Amino acid sequence: MSGAELNGKPITLADLRDGIDAIDDHIHDLLMQRAELVEKVGEVKGASAAQAVYYRPEREAQIHRRIEARHHGPLPIEAVHRIYREIISASLNMEKQLTVAYLGPEATFTHQAAIKQFGSSFHMYAQPTIDAVFHEVEVGRVNFGVAPVENSNEGAVTHTLDRFVDSPLIVCGEILLPVQHNLLSRRDSLSDVKRIYGHRRALADCHQWLDAHLPHVERVESESTAAAALKARDEEGAAAIAGEYAADSMSLNLLAEHIEDRAGQENRFLVVGRIPPKPSGDDKTSIMVSFQDHPGFLHKVLGLFAERGINLTRIESRPSQTRTWDYLFFIDCEGHQDDPRVAEALQALADLPGVTEKILGSYPKRAL
Amino acid sequence: MSGAELNGKPITLADLRDGIDAIDDHIHDLLMQRAELVEKVGEVKGASAAQAVYYRPEREAQIHRRIEARHHGPLPIEAVHRIYREIISASLNMEKQLTVAYLGPEATFTHQAAIKQFGSSFHMYAQPTIDAVFHEVEVGRVNFGVAPVENSNEGAVTHTLDRFVDSPLIVCGEILLPVQHNLLSRRDSLSDVKRIYGHRRALADCHQWLDAHLPHVERVESESTAAAALKARDEEGAAAIAGEYAADSMSLNLLAEHIEDRAGQENRFLVVGRIPPKPSGDDKTSIMVSFQDHPGFLHKVLGLFAERGINLTRIESRPSQTRTWDYLFFIDCEGHQDDPRVAEALQALADLPGVTEKILGSYPKRAL
C-alpha cells in the first residue's frame, strides 16, 4: 500500500499538520482584517446615517451567493455556509448584541431556522406564541422575530400572515428548511409496527412509501406531529411520522429516514423586523391585498403581474377578520419593490377601485 | 462629523465591502486548501494504520490553543473559537459522518456542551439516561458520548462516574461551560417577587446577591432547577433561580442575569469514547481507585502524587456498589498518563497492597 506523495517523497503527518497550521494562522489573520473592515463600515454608517443599521439581510445574502458561485473543492457547500454564517454572526455582534425572538419551544424547526439564519452569536429568546414573537419586535425588545409560515413537518396551521394585518412590522427575510419525514418507534424493526400515527398532511406526504413498505399496517390521523410522537412513545407497537427532533426528545428509534415521497419540499419561515432590506439582486416581495367580492377580480389582479412578466411564487386566501378586509389574499412575487416593474405592478394594483393593498416587505430569495 | 479615512480620502461603503469580499474569497480558498490537506491526512493514516482515527481530541485542542495564543483584534476569542469549531467539525465529517449521543433532552446544558465540543457537522442524538449514553457508545452505534459530571446549574446529582466501574469506555475529553444563575419570573419587576425558589446549591451560590437585592423575600428549596422554574411559571409572585434556557422554554422574564456571587464557576461534562487521546501538551488524567479501610491510607495515596509534583484537580469519594470497590475514589490529576512522572505515580499507586486502580483516561485540559 503506498501513501500520499509530494514531489516523489512520501508526505508525513507532521508535514500535513504544519501545512494545516499555516493555513489556520492565515485564516485567523484574515478574520481579524475582516473584522477591522466591518468596524469601519460601522464608522462610515455612523457618519452617514442617523441610525446605524448593522444587519443587512441583502448584504448577507450576497456574500453567501458569491461564495456559493465560486465554490469548488472537498467541503460540502452547506458546511461552507455554516462557517460563513458564524463569521458574519460574530462580525454583526461585535459592537452590539443583536437579539431574535422565535416561536418556541427550543430545538424545534423554528429554532433551527433562526440559527440557520442568524448563527450562534445572536441572542435568541423562545416565545410561546406567534403573537408574542411579533410583540417583542414591535416594542423593540428584540431586533428580529422568526415565525413559521408553511410547515409540513409540524403540521401546524399557523396564522403568522394574519398578524401582519395590524402590525407595523415588515417581512425582512425568509428561511427554508427541507421537509424530512421519518418513521419513529420504540421498537427496533419495521416488522414490529402495528399502527402508524401521523398528521394528515404527513400521512399524505408519505403514502407511497407506506404502501410499499407497510401496506397492511393501520394508519391513524393525529391532530399534530407532536401528538403522533406521543402515541409512538406510549402505545405498544405504535410508530409515528415525525421529524428527527422527536426521536431525540422522546427517545424513539429511527426506523426509517426520509420517507417522504417527493424530495425538495420545504418548510418556510419568515423573519420580521422594522428596517426594510434593500435589493440583493434576487428578491421576493410579499403583499397583502383585499377587495370586495366581484367575479373575475382575482383574475384581473393576477393579470397586473403577468402582463409585466412578474412570477408569483405563492398565493393564499385567508378568511377576513375585519370589514376592511372582506376578501384577503397573501401574494408573494419575484423581485424587489424598488424594481421598476414590480413597483409599477404594485401601484397599478393599489389604483384598482375597491382594493386595499399592504406591502409586507421585500427580502432576499433563498435557495433551500 | 468626520467619517473614516484612508490615505486622507474618505472611505466609502463600497470600498469597504469590496475589501470584505476580497477577504471572504481568500478565506474560502484557504478553507478548500485546508480540506485538501485534511483529505491527505486521511490517506496517510489509511496507509499507516489499520484503523484510521479521524477525530483526535489532542490535535483539536492544540489548534484552538495555538489560535488563542496568537489572537489579537476586534473579534472576541469565543467567536473565533466558534468559527474554528465549525471549520474543524466540517473537516472531520467530510468523509464519514461522525455521531454523538448526549444526555437529553435537547437544548439543555449537556446539549450545549456537546455542540461546544463538536460543532454542528456531527450528528447528535439525545438519550434519556446517562446509562443510555454509555450504551450507545459501547455498542458502537455512535462515536462519542457526552454526559454531565459537575453541574451547578441544573442541580442534578449525576452518576456519570459510577458508570465507568463496569464500562470499557474511556474519558477522552472534558467540556466546561460557565455557571450562570438568573432570576426568572412571570412578573416584570423585582419588587413584585414574593417568594424565590431554587435548588439548594443555586440558593447558596447566590445568597449574597439575594441578601443585597431581595433581603426580605422568602427563599424555598426545590428538588431541582426545573422544579423551581415550574413554580415560577405556575405560582403568582414566584421567581426561580435557573439558567437562561428555562426563561425561554417556560416564557419567564429575566429579572436579573448572572446573580451568582462568584464568577468563574463552571459546569463540567465528560466526553466518553473508545480511542485514547495522545498527549496534547496540557492534559488531565482521571482515575478510579479503591482500597480497604485503613487509617491514613488516602493520605498515602495522595502523597504518591504530591512527591512527584503532580497537582490533583479533583477528588471525590463515592459509596461502593460492589465488594471489589469497598472505598471508591475518583481522582483527576494534571498531566497525561504517557508523561513519565504521571506514569510512575499511577504505577506506584497500583502497586500498593489492597489497591485496585482503573485509569479512566487522559485528555486535553480545557480553559472555560
Side-chain angles (χ1 to χ4, degrees), chain A residues 174-191:
Chain A
E174 65 174 352
I175 314 165
L176 304 178
L177 290 180
V179 167
Q180 180 174 352
H181 290 305
N182 305 294
L183 196 68
L184 308 176
S185 172
R186 275 198 292 139
R187 307 304 295 262
D188 293 326
S189 152
L190 274 186
S191 58

Side-chain angles (χ1 to χ4, degrees), chain B residues 163-201:
Chain B
R163 190 56 174 73
F164 282 105
V165 174
D166 299 314
S167 176
L169 297 182
I170 56 161
V171 183
C172 53
E174 65 174 354
I175 314 164
L176 305 179
L177 290 180
V179 167
Q180 181 175 351
H181 291 304
N182 306 293
L183 196 68
L184 309 176
S185 172
R186 276 199 291 137
R187 308 304 296 263
D188 292 328
S189 152
L190 275 186
S191 57
D192 292 339
V193 173
K194 305 283 174 252
R195 189 174 291 151
I196 298 162
Y197 291 92
H199 184 262
R200 182 178 50 74
R201 189 159 162 186

